[in-house]
Amino acid sequence: MTRLFNAPEAFADEALEGFVAAHRRWVRPVSGGVVRSAPTAPGQVAVVIGGGSGHYPAFSGLVGPGLAHGAAVGNVFASPSARQVRTVAQSAHAGGGVVLMYGNYAGDVLHFGQAAQQLTAEGIETRTVAVTDDVSSASTDERDKRRGIAGDLPVFKAAAAAAEQGRSLDEVVLAARHANARTRSFGIAFGGCTLPGAESPLFTVAEGRMAVGLGIHGEPGIGEQDVPTADDAAELLVSTLLAELPEGVAQPRGERAAVILNGLGTVKYEELFVVYRRVAQLLAEAGVEAVEPEVGELVTSFDMAGISLTLCWLDEELEALWTAGADTPAYRKGAATSQAAPAAEAAPAAAGDASATAVPAATEESRAVAATAVAVLTAISEIVDTHAEELGRIDAVAGDGDHGIGMRRGSEAARLAAVAAAAAGAGARTTVNAAADAWSDRAGGTSGALWGVLLHAVGTALGDTEAPTARTVAGGVGEASAAVQRLGGAEVGDKTMVDVLVPFARTLDDATAEGAALADAWDRAATAAEQAAKATADLVPRIGRARPHVERSLGTPDAGAHSLALIVRAVHGVLAGR
């Protein structure tokens, strides 16, 4: 388990600070992550990677010549926010455009996608590439839904090496997608990881058993088997990957592949070498030549006891990109381009700093509503803090167990941002929107993005000039419901927060249309939300990280749905008191 930490919610920030202090030869800090210590060469495409903390050396450890130009680093097992991704990309950009690369997880897709839109709108041509190498997370018919695990490395490297060659933005993207299409990974684990501050691992495996097809965020495997010998483990890994050859590879014999045997946290190097001994034999017997294989910790999951095998099937182009030099804190090979003099270090900006920008004019009526908004956000932060461990436990049943941590960070950041905005004289819209940005920024992950959108919709409806009516609030909640569905792509029945948000918004709209006062209407809507949250226990997940774990999920409510129901009931307490 993770023993050395201060406050669990500060772990990711403090780890990144220490990483930078130890590796200034390669990286410098920027708001949201790190970039190369030397500027990107003028006109070169900037490759910006990223994801949650807890996977070192992914992602910050892969920044340097021959690999990434920058890395956006999120909270523990949570994607970086769109703002973090955008600011890292802005710092890395040198006129050639930006490729944003990440594992295919809902939060990353949302935040990197938003950042790409924002960067393009400001004149920085940007593309995105999601890595989808994990064969256990979806069928061959749904390869676009597969998650990214240790296959991140060959895909990131293909793009970065192509950029170093001076290829255009479109050509770099093609190289990355080509590598992704020819990369497959599969993993096993003997025990789950424990997040900083948690008392137990995200999943456990009975003595003498192992999980098969696990994820790198502590998601449990898709099945269990008896613990094998090292040779048996190698045979399972190799046979699984040889059973699914990518398009263009008719048979393994005569093929060349980049091979990665990855340790997930606590499997020691000597153990990895024992397993790789048999992996190498099996690949040779199948007629596959391993090209510059890597054995070690490359994409980890805190203290997870597990390993994964990755094969990237090489052609002439991909082999040249795979064998090209790289020089980063955690990954080095060959001769990489030497760095120029380090660039001046930029101080990371504080998230949610309302004093950094001018406060729009507001009426006294709207400032009074802003005070209520601060009280509401305070109540939200308090209820989330009270139930954070419970939310993490629910999320860990079939997911990664970080929902409580993310909600705690997001709601507290939102409260602080709202307090600062209101103290500066902001109206309701400005106050709530400041909270929305802070929540999204500090929480990261899918829930951070969705709560940011939700609060922005409500804040926009409130405005900065008038005292809103009950119908105004209901309209804002209705738009929030629609916005969350548009962004996240979830529908009622998918076992997400949408299963609660939709009936809550509809009930609130119906009650206010009938003339009910806001507090009374909110009470009715909160009751509908609570009932809907309980009903999610009978649903099976159709999207998100829990999707591969239908059986585990059945009987447990969705963590996002449950947290939303808790929150709207806490908000009713504030409204009823006013």
Side-chain angles (χ1 to χ4, degrees), residues 166-246:
R167 297 191 196 182
S168 69
L169 179 60
D170 288 340
E171 290 170 332
V172 170
V173 171
L174 284 174
R177 291 178 177 165
H178 182 45
N180 185 58
R182 295 174 70 96
T183 301
R184 303 288 188 273
S185 299
F186 182 68
I188 58 176
F190 317 106
C193 58
T194 305
L195 302 184
E199 297 181 355
S200 59
L202 294 178
F203 72 89
T204 57
V205 182
E207 188 71 25
R209 301 280 286 175
M210 71 173 181
V212 177
L214 66 144
I216 59 168
H217 296 93
E219 305 99 321
I222 58 175
E224 287 190 8
Q225 296 182 16
D226 290 339
V227 172
T229 64
D231 283 1
D232 290 339
E235 289 166 11
L236 173 63
L237 295 170
V238 172
S239 64
T240 300
L241 295 186
L242 292 186
E244 184 187 314
L245 300 177

Side-chain angles (χ1 to χ4, degrees), residues 308-506:
S308 65
L309 180 67
T310 298
L311 298 180
C312 177
W313 298 91
L314 303 174
D315 55 18
E316 185 176 350
E317 177 195 15
L318 289 179
E319 183 164 345
L321 299 175
W322 172 245
T323 58
D327 183 20
T328 77
Y331 183 82
R332 300 164 206 169
K333 65 161 51 179
T337 305
S338 61
Q339 299 194 73
E345 185 172 304
D353 185 359
S355 64
T357 57
V359 176
T363 63
E364 287 301 321
E365 291 83 357
S366 187
R367 291 193 186 103
V369 179
T372 299
V374 169
V376 163
L377 288 159
T378 299
I380 290 174
S381 179
E382 291 172 349
I383 196 69
V384 166
D385 185 64
T386 299
H387 293 273
E389 291 187 11
E390 175 194 9
L391 295 174
R393 177 186 58 77
I394 293 173
D395 189 38
V397 170
D400 56 13
D402 70 341
H403 187 67
I405 293 174
M407 291 291 289
R408 175 183 274 157
R409 288 177 64 112
S411 60
E412 177 60 8
R415 182 190 71 81
L416 292 173
V419 168
R429 179 182 64 189
T430 300
T431 297
V432 175
N433 285 355
D437 291 339
W439 191 314
S440 177
D441 190 51
R442 290 295 288 168
T446 306
S447 67
L450 297 180
W451 272 96
V453 167
L454 189 159
L455 289 175
H456 258 295
V458 173
T460 299
L462 294 178
D464 278 334
T465 59
E466 298 179 1
T469 65
R471 292 294 293 157
T472 302
V473 174
V477 172
E479 175 52 34
S481 176
V484 166
Q485 291 176 79
R486 287 194 300 270
L487 180 62
E491 301 176 351
V492 172
D494 285 344
K495 194 164 187 172
T496 70
M497 69 182 295
V498 167
D499 290 299
V500 169
L501 184 55
V502 168
F504 174 77
R506 287 176 179 169

